[in-house]
Amino acid sequence: MKTGIGLLLLLVLTLPGCKSTFQNTIKAEASNLEQGSDIINADNKFTFNIPQNMQKQDIHGIDSYVEEYRNKNMRVSFDYGIYSDPLDGYSMEPEYKEIKEVISGREVKIVHFKPTSFASEYKYYAGVHFPAVKEGGSKLTMVVEFNDEKDWGTAKTIFGSIHFE
């Protein structure tokens, strides 16, 4: 499904509590998705935008709801469940950055680094963790892996487009 990412970003960016630096970064990088994006409805739990040319992969989780999308430049995946990665174990990775933000009215942690401690086919790793999205302990962790540093902006835009139903 195609959409005007601009309207969605306007709604995300006007949420109370969002920090202006993150808002400005999302605005500056929004053009990465405005050229064409798809809205993914994750089993009516949440929605998010990805670049239009990404293909869903055939993966299955054991104890949570997982999906993965790929194109030639990046991989987007998420884990929705009680055991989603809280993104706490990466602070020693090269170029590690951690940002606290508000997305879809929830406080989140965003991390970004160059992975070295695990096998990855990508040069960069960015993740967002929502520690509490639903009663019963469900959490969400979404990861974007990519090779070109400019896609960090695309990752932030994808994270900023997450909206809970």
Side-chain angles (χ1 to χ4, degrees):
M1 178 186 323
K2 296 179 185 173
T3 181
I5 186 85
L7 179 58
L8 180 61
L9 285 174
L10 177 61
L11 293 172
V12 170
L13 295 174
T14 58
L15 288 173
C18 286
K19 296 178 182 174
S20 63
T21 56
F22 187 64
Q23 291 176 5
N24 291 339
T25 303
I26 288 178
K27 286 178 186 176
E29 299 295 341
S31 62
N32 291 335
L33 283 181
E34 284 180 355
Q35 297 170 357
S37 66
D38 289 332
I39 295 178
I40 304 299
N41 181 331
D43 197 30
N44 294 321
K45 295 175 184 345
F46 62 98
T47 59
F48 61 99
N49 290 68
I50 58 173
Q52 193 173 33
N53 62 351
M54 299 197 85
Q55 298 297 315
K56 185 175 180 179
Q57 305 299 299
D58 186 24
I59 65 167
H60 305 281
I62 296 171
D63 56 10
S64 57
Y65 172 43
V66 298
E67 285 190 0
E68 180 178 296
Y69 298 83
R70 287 180 180 240
N71 64 17
K72 65 180 179 148
N73 301 318
M74 70 176 50
R75 173 175 43 208
V76 176
S77 60
F78 68 79
D79 181 343
Y80 182 95
I82 60 173
Y83 301 112
S84 297
D85 182 358
L87 304 175
D88 290 336
Y90 305 110
S91 62
M92 300 306 290
E93 295 290 340
E95 301 181 31
Y96 178 85
K97 295 177 183 79
E98 182 176 311
I99 305 165
K100 301 285 186 182
E101 291 297 338
V102 175
I103 298 174
S104 193
R106 292 168 169 84
E107 290 188 24
V108 301
K109 172 172 45 176
I110 298 172
V111 301
H112 175 242
F113 58 89
K114 287 181 121 176
T116 59
S117 64
F118 58 89
S120 176
E121 62 188 90
Y122 297 92
K123 293 179 184 176
Y124 297 96
Y125 178 104
V128 63
H129 178 69
F130 292 79
V133 294
K134 194 167 185 168
E135 289 183 32
S138 288
K139 304 168 183 78
L140 171 67
T141 299
M142 181 176 286
V143 171
V144 179
E145 295 172 275
F146 48 94
N147 286 320
D148 190 331
E149 192 170 11
K150 72 175 177 58
D151 286 326
W152 166 226
T154 302
K156 289 185 287 188
T157 303
I158 292 169
F159 297 156
S161 74
I162 295 171
H163 176 74
F164 291 91
E165 302 298 314

